């Protein structure tokens, strides 16, 4: 059984930073692409960033490009999201997601990486709130 657990969220002032972490068990972590999504109240779930199995290839949404950085430590089965220069519009629940072994090219971020239905396993989320 795959378990995905996010941590690191909190309340921060605009311009501040946070680092989110996501630990995964139940799958061979270094064999799968991983991603971060977020969802604000009343809005659809939005793809934030994706990283390939080795960590060499990353993709980031335009809304956070230059401010957020995705990375992974395969030795620790952990995914990270470093968030700098946070803005009030970044306020959302942040989710970590992993693909299924049945997914097409599950080790890589495809053009559809920002579609929630590309990802099979999700954590419960960690809340990020940015005050102005």
């Amino acid at each position: 059984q795959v378990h995905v657990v996010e941590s690191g969220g909190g309340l921060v002032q605009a311009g501040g930073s946070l680092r989110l972490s996501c630990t995964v068990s139940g799958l061979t972590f270094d064999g799968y692409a991983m991603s971060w999504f977020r969802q604000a109240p009343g809005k659809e779930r939005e793809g934030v960033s994706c990283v390939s199995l080795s960590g060499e290839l990353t993709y980031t949404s335009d809304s956070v490009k230059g401010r957020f950085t995705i990375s992974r430590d395969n030795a620790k089965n952990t995914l990270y999201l470093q968030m700098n220069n946070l803005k009030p519009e970044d306020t959302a629940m942040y989710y970590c997601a992993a693909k299924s072994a049945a997914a097409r090219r599950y080790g890589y971020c495809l053009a559809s990486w920002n579609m929630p239905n590309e990802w099979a396993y999700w954590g419960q989320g960690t809340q990020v709130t940015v005050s102005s």
Side-chain angles (χ1 to χ4, degrees):
Q1 190 172 2
V2 178
H3 290 283
V4 179
V5 180
E6 304 94 337
S7 62
L11 173 64
V12 63
Q13 288 188 331
S17 298
L18 283 174
R19 188 175 83 154
L20 306 184
S21 299
C22 169
T23 58
V24 182
S25 61
L27 56 73
T28 307
F29 184 75
D30 63 3
Y32 292 80
M34 296 292 300
S35 65
W36 287 101
F37 281 74
R38 67 183 183 184
Q39 189 167 19
K43 294 189 175 182
E44 294 186 350
R45 194 163 294 192
E46 172 193 15
V48 174
S49 195
C50 180
V51 62
S52 64
L53 74 173
S54 67
E56 291 182 356
L57 301 175
T58 63
Y59 302 82
T60 303
S61 70
D62 288 342
S63 61
V64 304
K65 195 167 291 183
R67 300 187 297 122
F68 290 12
T69 303
I70 191 171
S71 63
R72 64 191 295 162
D73 185 338
N74 286 343
K76 295 182 178 180
N77 282 17
T78 302
L79 177 73
Y80 301 101
L81 185 68
Q82 179 65 45
M83 307 186 294
N84 298 329
N85 191 21
L86 282 159
K87 303 176 180 180
E89 52 263 43
D90 295 319
T91 294
M93 187 72 78
Y94 283 71
Y95 299 91
C96 173
K99 290 192 179 186
S100 162
R104 186 167 54 100
R105 299 195 70 198
Y106 53 81
Y108 297 92
C109 306
L110 304 182
S112 54
W113 71 265
N114 59 346
M115 302 300 293
N117 60 9
E118 286 283 311
W119 304 89
Y121 304 110
W122 296 83
Q124 294 298 307
T126 186
Q127 177 67 39
V128 172
T129 303
V130 185
S131 63
S132 57

